[in-house]
Amino acid sequence: MISREVARHGGRAGYRAGPAEEAARVGRSRPKMFAVDRSPRLREVVTGLLQIGWSPASIAGRLPRLYPTDETYRVSHEAIYQWVYATPVSTLARELIALRTRRTARPDFGHPSLVSQLVLR
């Protein structure tokens, strides 16, 4: 691993610890976009499924089946959790998103699913 670090920052002759450390710090601190925010369509689908009570794990597992040819819809459940927890509470409340522990009612399985309406847009 050290050889990669040295090679990345000028090789044996040009490596300097100070500039290498600064480059690493800048690389870590850059603002990174959450996976769910990369695509407005993905964000819309994830938000819609969270609103009707789906868990992030269920959403991450279902998206590849709903959109088998579209790589835009590939996201892990960890990425969905990171996005939810990084989103301000006021925004979550405005969009009516609550994780399972705060859900007030279970979805009515006797009626056609809202998922089909959401996905077929």
Side-chain angles (χ1 to χ4, degrees):
M1 296 312 240
I2 294 173
S3 63
R4 290 183 193 164
E5 172 77 10
V6 171
R8 187 176 17 244
H9 296 287
R12 293 183 99 169
Y15 181 82
R16 296 292 175 259
E21 183 177 346
E22 177 64 19
R25 187 187 61 74
V26 169
R28 282 190 309 270
S29 66
R30 70 181 189 276
K32 297 177 184 175
M33 183 176 278
F34 288 101
V36 176
D37 287 333
R38 284 191 309 234
S39 165
R41 297 179 306 165
L42 174 62
R43 185 181 191 283
E44 181 182 337
V45 171
V46 169
T47 302
L49 293 174
L50 286 171
Q51 287 172 344
I52 60 173
W54 283 50
S55 71
S58 297
I59 295 169
R62 180 60 62 151
L63 287 176
R65 292 184 192 144
L66 295 174
Y67 304 97
T69 59
D70 195 346
E71 292 293 319
T72 307
Y73 290 96
R74 301 295 191 268
V75 66
S76 70
H77 68 281
E78 291 98 347
I80 297 172
Y81 275 114
Q82 285 178 351
W83 173 74
V84 167
Y85 288 122
T87 304
V89 174
S90 60
T91 303
L92 293 176
R94 186 173 54 245
E95 294 182 4
L96 302 174
I97 294 175
L99 295 179
R100 286 184 170 200
T101 57
R102 299 186 59 214
R103 186 172 60 192
T104 57
R106 293 187 58 80
D108 185 4
F109 293 109
H111 290 81
S113 176
L114 296 176
V115 175
S116 61
Q117 296 171 9
L118 179 70
V119 173
L120 296 176
R121 282 189 204 184

